Amino acid sequence: MNRSIVFDSPFLLGFEHTRALIERAAKAAAESYPPYNVEARGDGGLRITLAVAGFSPEQLQVTVEDRQLTISGKKDTSGRPEEAYLHRGIAARGFIRSFVLADGMEVEGALLEHGLLHIDLIRPEPEKKVKQIPIKTAG
């Protein structure tokens, strides 16, 4: 992806992390397989649902690294004879789908149900911290 001209401005110093997040999000948006939905849940969380028909839980992997949620699926075709398809409309290829998570977002869990992989995200309330500041005296 080409570098964004906006971030090349000499007035925007130290925004390399933001540029990297935007580039990751743009790359993830360009992916088209498998299809997915993103739903708002009543508790303020989100649910990402991917259509992963034909994949077993052992063939799917959900990871979070550096605020990037990655869902991957790998089909194991070794040891299977090549079927003679008259029409093949169901994709049997592996995939990697990524989402950039906002600060504080956490994966609550993942559920494979009827060919749909549901991944629930939550944003827990941050702890209220009170920091006592010592008062110094001069002299």
Side-chain angles (χ1 to χ4, degrees):
M1 176 174 190
N2 296 337
R3 272 178 73 163
S4 173
I5 295 173
V6 173
F7 288 103
D8 289 337
S9 170
F11 301 108
L12 295 173
L13 302 176
F15 284 90
E16 293 82 12
H17 181 69
T18 304
R19 179 188 317 138
L21 281 175
I22 291 171
E23 288 174 355
R24 277 197 289 176
K27 180 182 175 195
E31 299 169 355
S32 63
Y33 176 78
Y36 68 94
N37 293 334
V38 179
E39 308 166 54
R41 292 176 34 205
D43 57 2
L46 298 172
R47 172 174 269 191
I48 300 170
T49 302
L50 286 88
V52 293
F55 284 87
S56 68
E58 296 78 26
Q59 295 170 323
L60 297 168
Q61 185 174 24
V62 179
T63 59
V64 177
E65 182 179 351
D66 190 28
R67 296 191 327 188
Q68 182 162 329
L69 169 64
T70 303
I71 302 106
S72 59
K74 184 175 183 196
K75 287 294 232 176
D76 182 18
T77 57
S78 63
R80 290 181 55 193
E82 189 62 31
E83 290 97 1
Y85 289 97
L86 299 178
H87 172 75
R88 188 168 186 167
I90 299 172
R93 64 182 186 266
F95 67 89
I96 296 176
R97 163 103 30 212
S98 298
F99 299 88
V100 178
L101 302 180
D103 281 334
M105 294 293 294
E106 296 177 7
V107 175
E108 184 178 39
L111 172 68
L112 182 60
E113 175 182 49
H114 306 296
L116 299 173
L117 178 62
H118 303 289
I119 300 169
D120 293 325
L121 305 171
I122 58 170
R123 186 186 309 235
E125 288 291 321
E127 289 182 16
K128 304 267 191 240
K129 295 182 181 179
V130 177
K131 183 178 178 183
Q132 185 70 32
I133 310 298
I135 301 173
K136 299 178 184 176
T137 59

